[in-house]
Amino acid sequence: MSRISFSILCPAFLVGACIAVAFSLTSGAMALSTSQSLLALWDSLWGTDFSGLASYQQLVVLDLRLPRTLLALIVGAILAQCGAVMQGLFRNPLADPGIIGASSGAALGASIAIILLPLAIQGVAIPVAAFIGALLTTLLVFNLAQSENGTSVVMLILAGVAVTAFGGAMMGFLNVIADDQALRDITLWQMGSVAHVSSNSLLLCLVVMLVMAWYFQRHAQALNALLLGESEARHLGIDVERLKVKLIVMVTVGVGVTVSVAGIIGFIGLVIPHLVRMLTGPDHRTLLPLSAIVGALLLLLADIGARLLMAPSELPVGLLTAVMGAPFFTILLFKQRKTFI
């Protein structure tokens, strides 16, 4: 497949994302025109009244659909970048934060915080607990995959499967002892949703996304060197083990934050880097920013689908990403089966 240059793909995907944003602002149980929805944003910024929308319609656009749209874009960008980094770090197309158990660990940490901590401190404690759960899970899987010969990718994935299964069992236990409200919150986390967003969580995700984008881009050359192999990267002066720890911690921060605000949204980190890599090649200097844009676009489209497929009811967006990602993952396993034999 011929490669397409970054200068063509980046503007094209950005235009697609802008169109998706406009569609997202008009999609939902209440029918609003695109022009009125966009003018409502203009009115909000400059204090004008060009949209002609009633106050309750402006509320729908500005307080419900706009924060939800922004959260979907940010979470999609974070997850796609985390997936690209994990695949580059372990030189394996099947590695993503969900496969190695980070998402499961974050959800388990968040669930423990929901059940055990008072409601007054849950707003702060849940992201922290999600981060700690994701970090502990990732470090456990990483250590299990380590040997004197380096990091075994097969062991990494198998350990991730085992830890994910254990996390699922623990969450099942928590579901049994949880009260009705906690059970409802945990179930929402497990299925993934960007519907419940606050200004604080949106700001937190935005800061994390910007820091991650800068940090990952700074290490793009090191990730390119790792594609040659760990020994070759060491000969080029890269401290491979230190690089792994730093990037894994940053990925864990991203996964922990996204899980704490949007639950488990799988396969974005697995699918998007592959799609971008097929279009532009494996160079992380272009792969990382394009993955962020395409990941944001795909999760926003999935959220629009979640709102429209069973309107006026909504599907959890994590279900749609799983439906899209599971066949893709199966194809990857089929292509990689010779590696595992």
Side-chain angles (χ1 to χ4, degrees), residues 178-202:
D179 58 27
D180 291 343
Q181 182 60 45
L183 182 60
R184 191 176 300 111
D185 292 340
I186 292 173
T187 303
L188 181 64
W189 247 295
Q190 291 174 334
M191 292 190 290
S193 173
V194 293
H196 303 279
V197 52
S198 66
S199 56
N200 290 334
S201 61
L202 192 59

Side-chain angles (χ1 to χ4, degrees), residues 278-294:
M278 286 189 292
L279 293 173
T280 65
D283 187 346
H284 286 85
R285 293 173 299 177
T286 56
L287 176 65
L288 289 169
L290 279 179
S291 293
I293 298 172
V294 180

Side-chain angles (χ1 to χ4, degrees), residues 39-61:
L39 284 173
L41 298 180
W42 178 273
D43 293 341
S44 175
L45 289 173
W46 303 107
T48 56
D49 188 20
F50 294 136
S51 68
L53 294 177
S55 57
Y56 72 91
Q57 292 173 317
Q58 293 179 357
L59 186 70
V60 170
V61 174

Side-chain angles (χ1 to χ4, degrees), residues 291-332:
S291 293
I293 298 172
V294 180
L297 174 60
L298 182 66
L299 186 55
L300 180 57
L301 292 176
D303 182 55
I304 294 172
R307 280 184 270 171
L308 296 181
L309 286 177
M310 295 184 65
S313 300
E314 292 186 8
L315 286 171
V317 69
L319 296 182
L320 288 185
T321 59
V323 168
M324 291 187 294
F328 194 87
F329 183 65
T330 304
I331 294 172
L332 283 178

Side-chain angles (χ1 to χ4, degrees), residues 158-182:
L158 292 177
V161 170
V163 171
T164 300
F166 178 77
M170 291 302 297
M171 290 189 67
F173 174 74
L174 292 174
N175 289 343
V176 172
I177 65 174
D179 58 27
D180 291 343
Q181 182 60 45

Side-chain angles (χ1 to χ4, degrees), residues 112-228:
I112 292 173
I114 291 172
I115 293 177
L116 299 181
L117 298 179
L119 187 63
I121 62 172
Q122 281 187 2
V124 177
I126 290 175
V128 175
F131 167 67
I132 293 174
L135 180 62
L136 293 177
T137 304
T138 306
L139 291 178
L140 175 61
V141 171
F142 184 66
N143 285 328
L144 288 174
Q146 286 280 40
S147 68
E148 58 184 10
N149 298 321
T151 304
S152 168
V153 174
V154 175
M155 281 296 296
L156 183 83
I157 295 174
L158 292 177
V161 170
V163 171
T164 300
F166 178 77
M170 291 302 297
M171 290 189 67
F173 174 74
L174 292 174
N175 289 343
V176 172
I177 65 174
D179 58 27
D180 291 343
Q181 182 60 45
L183 182 60
R184 191 176 300 111
D185 292 340
I186 292 173
T187 303
L188 181 64
W189 247 295
Q190 291 174 334
M191 292 190 290
S193 173
V194 293
H196 303 279
V197 52
S198 66
S199 56
N200 290 334
S201 61
L202 192 59
L203 179 61
L204 174 64
C205 288
L206 177 62
V207 171
V208 169
M209 183 195 71
L210 293 176
V211 172
M212 280 181 50
W214 167 77
Y215 194 79
F216 288 157
Q217 197 65 29
R218 189 181 173 196
H219 291 85
Q221 289 282 27
L223 287 170
N224 286 342
L226 269 179
L227 294 178
L228 302 173

